[in-house]
Amino acid sequence: MAVDTAVVWFRRDLRLHDNEALLEAADAEELVPVYAFDPREYGERAFGGDDSFRFEKTGAHRARFRRESVVDLRERLRERDSELVVRHDTPERVVPAVAKVVDADEVHFATRPLPEEMGVENAVRRRLRGLDVTPRRHWTHTLYHLNDLPVEYTEISDTYTSFRKTVENRATVREPLPEPELPPAPVDAVGAGSVPSLDEIGPGEPPDDDRAAVAFDGGESAGLARLERYLFEEDRLREYKQTRNGLVGQGFSSKLSAWLNEGCLSPRRVRREVKRYERERVANDSTYWLLFELIWRDFFQFQFAKHGADFFRPGGIRGRDGIHWREDDAQFRRWAAGETGIPFVDAAMRELNRAGYQSNRARQNAASFLANNLRIDWRRGAAYYETQLVDYDPASNYGNWAYIAGVGNDNRDRYFNIVKQANKYDGDGEYVTHWIPELSEVPPRKVHEPWTMSEQEQAEHGVQLGIDYPEPMIDLEESYRKLR
Ligand SMILES: Cc1cc2nc3c(=O)[nH]c(=O)nc-3n(C[C@H](O)[C@H](O)[C@H](O)COP(=O)(O)OP(=O)(O)OC[C@H]3O[C@@H](n4cnc5c(N)ncnc54)[C@H](O)[C@@H]3O)c2cc1C
């Protein structure tokens, strides 16, 4: 039976399509949608403990994306004669306060089984208890629904291939849910509130750099447009498997990660569009491969549900405590600033800082350099990515970092031979010169190892090492010898 009044508390599910929390809440006679910008998510982390390295938790790239996503959500709700109540305060203060004023019977929200997210959720639930409001939580962010896993999530395999085969063979992906008709939103008594500016939220405006691969405009509208563009307008999916290791430009991969992670796009909607593309255009290895990558995303989500905070330990879920992780502020800062003197790493880090994004290939190499060549605590690198990435997600980020550092879901050491990778994936040096203009005159055969140039060659190619561009901060070969 429909209740009188429901509240839907939006979290990282900033969309109207395929949103179980919204759909079920919309059964009520009246529905009040709410979003809270949690001050603890910005600035130096109020959440984390000593292990958190005290980086700004959400940097400007993601803060802008999120703010735009909330603005878009509010517009979409208004177009449907609804409204979004927006506050700049903790959810455990905002949500129960709104529920109380509108006399809600239920509060619906999406859950994410991650330590900080669960902490907030539990705080909200505790405060709702005194109000006689029923909390209703929903699972909205993965391709496979938690309840459809063939085995309990606590029993899933820690190996990707085995997890993938199990779900592909023994589970079905549900069809995306329809967007609901929205009941009236009686917000007068609470007041809709205004969306805080980026300065009020904390980090201010991110750099505006036209070298960035994509303008990541936050929101469901932009996310759906990106999906349509990548698949149908530009017809790129047919070659995704061949292009996905690219480094420069918008078209080599889907660039959907930020919209997926803030919940502007549902992975089931992406899958539905891939299936449509397969019917209308072509079905091949590439069309399958995008789904294969979305299962990687699911894998880390369910791995975090299973292992929880163990992922954040130095030795990771494998308890691999024999590695001595170094602290070296000076070296760390050079890595973070893109001043290591190893061009492939520097290009990646400059792209991260300026654009808030890196391709998967760039992430793997930059992470491997910090964790394996420098042997600096991998969690410090992951925390830096947490600040900078527009598409940061705790499970995907820490899961991938742990994997590369050899403490995650893999039994092998995963170090990358950076120069070999650079020559393979950036043979003409386009990526490194895109982000490191100091090297723009250096020919491709030298650009990934500028330290092999004589002084005369440096003069010929317009770069003096140690002046215009750094000398390499370590001897790469020597560092590989230690790892072998
Ligand atoms: C060190 C490191 C840190 C990372 N941190 C994040 C992160 O915080 N958030 C994030 O979404 N991805 C992360 N990734 C995974 C991957 O690099 C990005 O998802 C991808 O580069 C995003 O670009 P895209 O959307 O064009 O990807 P595409 O190649 O088009 O892939 C499609 C989608 O599949 C998913 N996906 C692809 N590869 C992976 C993967 N290895 N793990 C999990 N999901 C994947 C993403 O949702 C992505 O949008 C990280 C990888 C590494 C090596």
Side-chain angles (χ1 to χ4, degrees):
M1 206 181 61
V3 299
D4 288 339
T5 308
V7 165
V8 58
W9 164 35
F10 282 99
R11 305 177 76 192
R12 286 204 295 139
D13 58 336
L14 300 170
R15 64 174 184 270
L16 306 184
H17 72 267
D18 195 20
N19 189 336
E20 187 184 289
L22 177 66
L23 183 73
E24 293 204 8
D27 263 351
E29 301 293 326
E30 294 187 322
L31 171 65
V32 181
V34 179
Y35 183 83
F37 284 93
D38 189 337
R40 293 166 300 190
E41 292 193 19
Y42 307 88
E44 281 192 7
R45 28 174 71 211
F47 278 122
D50 292 344
D51 281 348
S52 317
F53 304 106
R54 310 220 70 80
F55 287 118
E56 194 179 13
K57 198 170 160 48
T58 308
H61 297 291
R62 195 161 71 263
R64 176 176 67 180
F65 187 91
R66 188 174 288 162
R67 184 183 179 279
E68 288 172 353
S69 300
V70 172
V71 169
D72 181 63
L73 180 66
R74 174 175 258 185
E75 275 167 21
R76 291 173 76 88
L77 286 166
R78 284 181 176 170
E79 281 161 16
R80 289 153 181 82
D81 294 325
S82 182
E83 178 56 288
L84 182 67
V85 173
V86 178
R87 295 286 187 274
H88 189 194
D89 200 349
T90 65
E92 60 265 37
R93 285 159 64 101
V94 171
V95 177
V98 172
K100 189 171 175 192
V101 174
V102 302
D103 194 18
D105 305 288
E106 295 177 341
V107 171
H108 293 255
F109 55 90
T111 188
R112 293 234 182 176
L114 298 157
E116 288 173 7
E117 285 76 356
M118 286 308 292
V120 175
E121 178 181 323
N122 289 336
V124 170
R125 290 161 71 97
R126 267 195 305 278
R127 295 219 184 166
L128 289 176
R129 240 176 254 150
L131 298 176
D132 197 23
V133 180
T134 311
R136 301 270 313 273
R137 60 181 187 165
H138 303 271
W139 188 269
T140 65
H141 63 288
T142 54
L143 192 59
Y144 289 93
H145 195 284
L146 175 73
N147 297 340
D148 297 342
L149 292 180
V151 290
E152 277 293 306
Y153 73 89
T154 47
E155 301 296 321
I156 59 167
S157 172
D158 289 348
T159 308
Y160 172 69
T161 304
S162 135
F163 169 80
R164 177 179 59 78
K165 287 186 176 157
T166 309
V167 290
E168 283 180 338
N169 295 331
R170 293 173 51 205
T172 319
V173 177
R174 299 180 187 185
E175 281 305 309
L177 298 166
E179 185 188 313
E181 289 281 320
L182 296 177
V187 300
D188 286 351
V190 277
S194 56
V195 177
S197 69
L198 275 182
D199 282 333
E200 285 164 334
I201 295 170
E205 289 287 339
D208 184 14
D209 195 315
D210 58 14
R211 291 173 298 175
V214 180
F216 286 101
D217 299 324
E220 180 177 11
S221 308
L224 291 170
R226 173 68 201 170
L227 182 59
E228 178 69 16
R229 176 177 172 191
Y230 182 73
L231 266 61
F232 291 99
E233 284 165 24
E234 296 189 354
D235 203 11
R236 304 241 185 215
L237 186 56
R238 62 177 66 238
E239 54 176 26
Y240 169 69
K241 196 166 178 219
Q242 290 76 47
T243 60
R244 57 181 281 277
N245 280 307
L247 294 156
V248 183
Q250 61 84 19
F252 65 82
S253 67
S254 75
K255 307 293 186 300
L256 293 176
S257 48
W259 288 284
L260 284 164
N261 291 330
E262 293 300 320
C264 307
L265 265 185
S266 101
R268 296 192 299 214
R269 173 71 169 250
V270 175
R271 178 180 176 276
R272 193 184 78 184
E273 293 304 293
V274 170
K275 292 287 165 197
R276 180 161 78 88
Y277 182 92
E278 289 183 334
R279 284 194 308 276
E280 294 178 8
R281 302 277 169 95
V282 63
N284 60 18
D285 276 6
S286 285
T287 56
Y288 166 70
W289 214 260
L290 194 72
L291 303 178
F292 178 96
E293 295 298 342
L294 287 177
I295 301 176
W296 263 112
R297 180 174 176 275
D298 268 26
F299 175 64
F300 285 125
Q301 298 300 327
F302 291 119
Q303 279 290 306
F304 267 68
K306 175 178 174 182
H307 293 289
D310 285 355
F311 260 105
F312 303 121
R313 297 189 312 197
I317 56 169
R318 290 163 60 198
R320 201 173 161 196
D321 295 326
I323 305 174
H324 172 65
W325 296 107
R326 297 168 53 240
E327 268 183 59
D328 187 324
D329 286 346
Q331 283 197 344
F332 181 84
R333 274 200 293 274
R334 284 186 68 170
W335 171 79
E339 297 286 344
T340 67
I342 320 285
F344 202 46
V345 174
D346 291 343
M349 296 311 293
R350 293 181 192 193
E351 180 180 18
L352 178 67
N353 295 334
R354 300 293 299 173
Y357 178 83
Q358 290 171 323
S359 67
N360 189 53
R361 188 56 50 186
R363 291 181 210 215
Q364 288 173 324
N365 279 276
S368 180
F369 182 74
L370 184 87
N372 298 316
N373 299 90
L374 297 182
R375 270 293 187 229
I376 290 179
D377 193 336
W378 65 274
R379 299 169 309 154
R380 190 168 177 187
Y384 187 71
Y385 272 41
E386 176 170 351
T387 306
Q388 298 295 340
L389 279 175
V390 67
D391 66 7
Y392 166 74
D393 171 82
S396 291
N397 186 57
Y398 283 85
N400 274 292
W401 267 94
Y403 194 89
I404 285 169
V407 300
N409 298 88
D410 193 5
N411 291 321
R412 279 169 292 172
D413 287 324
R414 278 274 168 194
Y415 69 85
F416 285 66
N417 185 319
I418 313 271
V419 171
K420 224 168 148 181
Q421 289 266 313
N423 284 321
K424 182 167 175 191
Y425 295 104
D426 189 35
D428 55 5
E430 186 191 0
Y431 181 59
V432 295
T433 51
H434 188 73
W435 290 102
I436 315 174
E438 305 91 290
L439 299 179
S440 57
E441 303 299 320
V442 180
R445 68 193 159 75
K446 292 281 177 187
V447 79
H448 294 303
E449 297 174 275
W451 55 88
T452 61
M453 288 191 290
S454 64
E455 276 179 21
Q456 193 191 335
E457 283 174 309
Q458 293 178 34
E460 275 167 28
H461 304 314
V463 58
Q464 198 180 341
L465 290 189
I467 307 279
D468 306 310
Y469 181 72
E471 301 269 6
M473 63 188 279
I474 56 163
D475 180 338
L476 274 178
E477 283 311 317
E478 178 63 31
S479 73
Y480 291 126
R481 269 194 291 279
K482 283 190 197 151
L483 287 168
R484 277 180 208 127

